[in-house]
Amino acid sequence: MEILIQLIFSGIALGMIYAVIAFGYQLTFATSATLNFGQGEALMLGALVGLSFAGNVLGGPYLNFWMMIPLVMVFGALQGALVEFIGVRPAIKIKSEFGWIMSTIALAIIFKNVAENIWGKDDLKFPSPVSEAPLHFLGANVLPMEIIIVVGALAMMLAVEIFNRKSIYGKAVVATSNDRDAAGLMGINTRLVITFSYALSSMTAAFAGVLIAPVTLTGATMGSVLGLKAFAVAIIGGLTSGIGVIVGGLILGIAETTTGFYISTGYKDVPGLVLLLLVLAVKPAGLFGKTAIKKV
């Protein structure tokens, strides 16, 4: 029983990272019906830039972990805006349904190659800002950083939701997500809103990168798998539901940790993929998503 509780706690921390990245997919899909398939690379770059500030690479450390986070988030926002400007805006302008897919994938490959040339191909250790001694809870060992991951992920998503509901800029995002054409007619600069949504999306991914980095190895390849699994979470939970990505992330995270222990680490990715296939077959909009009806 204690082992099961241990696996559940680890799965919750992993699932919340998936949820934050999936939340970023939601932000861009809501405003532009497009996705950044380089979301995992935004996480990777956030982790490596954070390591450059707070770790023993590139002549550092220059800042402690907590002071580094705002700078990483600014970097993530700028990187997301760049992706939208180069890869997404031209496709939207010419009404290309698939151009943005290849553009964001191409930019992801470029970012990965740039990271390999700057930080190398080897995985690096990210210093933990808190004690690495586990805490004992319900008979299981919980790392303090895992608690920070869960709290930080929830705080980030809650902050974005409050921003969207309470601020005038957030209301412009919501209006654009509800009806982009109508929002444009009301005087809202929808192109700027889409850029902002991409900046916010990559900012959340970069934040997730510095959260997960202290409990895993940091390197140029760390984002690819995480981004793909987060996309699965977004589909499972629903691209239109904030609660959906949290539930989907928890399901996938716990499924991976329990399967890896009780069956084999070689099969830990299988339950999530099976669930993805089932959801697509039974409820394509996701467990909490809403089916959109288009008039043609």
Side-chain angles (χ1 to χ4, degrees):
M1 187 63 183
E2 292 180 358
I3 294 177
L4 178 60
I5 295 174
Q6 177 79 61
L7 294 170
I8 290 174
F9 285 156
S10 298
I12 289 173
L14 180 61
M16 290 310 301
I17 289 296
Y18 292 154
V20 171
I21 307 172
F23 186 66
Y25 284 123
Q26 280 190 347
L27 291 171
T28 60
F29 184 78
T31 57
S32 62
T34 63
L35 300 168
N36 179 10
F37 285 102
Q39 191 77 343
E41 276 61 39
L43 175 144
M44 173 270 294
L45 287 173
L48 286 173
V49 170
L51 180 64
S52 300
F53 283 121
N56 297 313
V57 297
L58 303 181
Y62 301 102
L63 299 170
N64 65 34
F65 182 86
W66 309 110
M67 293 178 65
M68 163 270 296
I69 289 178
L71 295 179
V72 169
M73 293 174 69
V74 171
F75 171 84
L78 294 174
Q79 187 258 347
L82 179 66
V83 169
E84 189 277 335
F85 182 77
I86 295 177
V88 179
R89 186 177 300 182
I92 293 177
K93 187 176 181 179
I94 63 174
K95 300 187 185 311
S96 171
E97 293 188 11
F98 305 106
W100 55 269
I101 297 177
M102 296 311 302
S103 295
T104 55
I105 291 175
L107 285 170
I109 296 172
I110 292 171
F111 288 138
K112 181 181 175 183
N113 288 339
V114 169
E116 287 177 343
N117 281 283
I118 295 177
W119 289 279
K121 296 183 178 181
D122 296 330
D123 291 328
L124 304 168
K125 181 72 173 70
F126 198 109
S128 176
V130 294
S131 172
E132 297 185 81
L135 304 174
H136 302 286
F137 183 71
L138 297 178
N141 295 325
V142 182
L143 293 175
M145 197 63 211
E146 290 180 333
I147 298 174
I148 293 175
I149 287 173
V150 175
V151 174
L154 288 172
M156 169 58 74
M157 290 186 283
L158 180 62
V160 173
E161 285 295 321
I162 293 175
F163 173 82
N164 285 340
R165 294 176 184 275
K166 300 296 184 182
S167 73
I168 187 171
Y169 302 105
K171 290 177 181 178
V173 173
V174 173
T176 303
S177 66
N178 289 333
D179 192 323
R180 193 166 70 199
D181 292 334
L185 292 173
M186 294 297 292
I188 294 174
N189 188 339
T190 56
R191 189 173 66 180
L192 184 60
V193 169
I194 292 172
T195 302
F196 177 76
S197 70
Y198 264 82
L200 198 58
S201 171
S202 292
M203 185 186 76
T204 59
F207 178 69
V210 296
L211 283 184
I212 196 174
V215 297
T216 185
L217 293 175
T218 305
T221 60
M222 69 180 292
S224 302
V225 174
L226 287 171
L228 183 60
K229 290 182 178 179
F231 180 65
V233 166
I235 299 300
I236 292 170
L239 276 168
T240 58
S241 172
I243 294 295
V245 296
I246 295 176
V247 173
L250 293 178
I251 291 173
L252 185 58
I254 293 172
E256 284 189 3
T257 55
T258 52
T259 301
F261 180 83
Y262 288 112
I263 300 178
S264 169
T265 54
Y267 290 100
K268 68 183 180 66
D269 296 329
V270 172
L273 296 176
V274 170
L275 179 59
L276 174 62
L277 293 173
L278 289 174
V279 170
L280 287 174
V282 177
K283 200 173 186 296
L287 297 177
F288 294 84
K290 296 179 181 179
T291 302
I293 299 175
K294 279 189 175 182
K295 293 181 180 182
V296 296

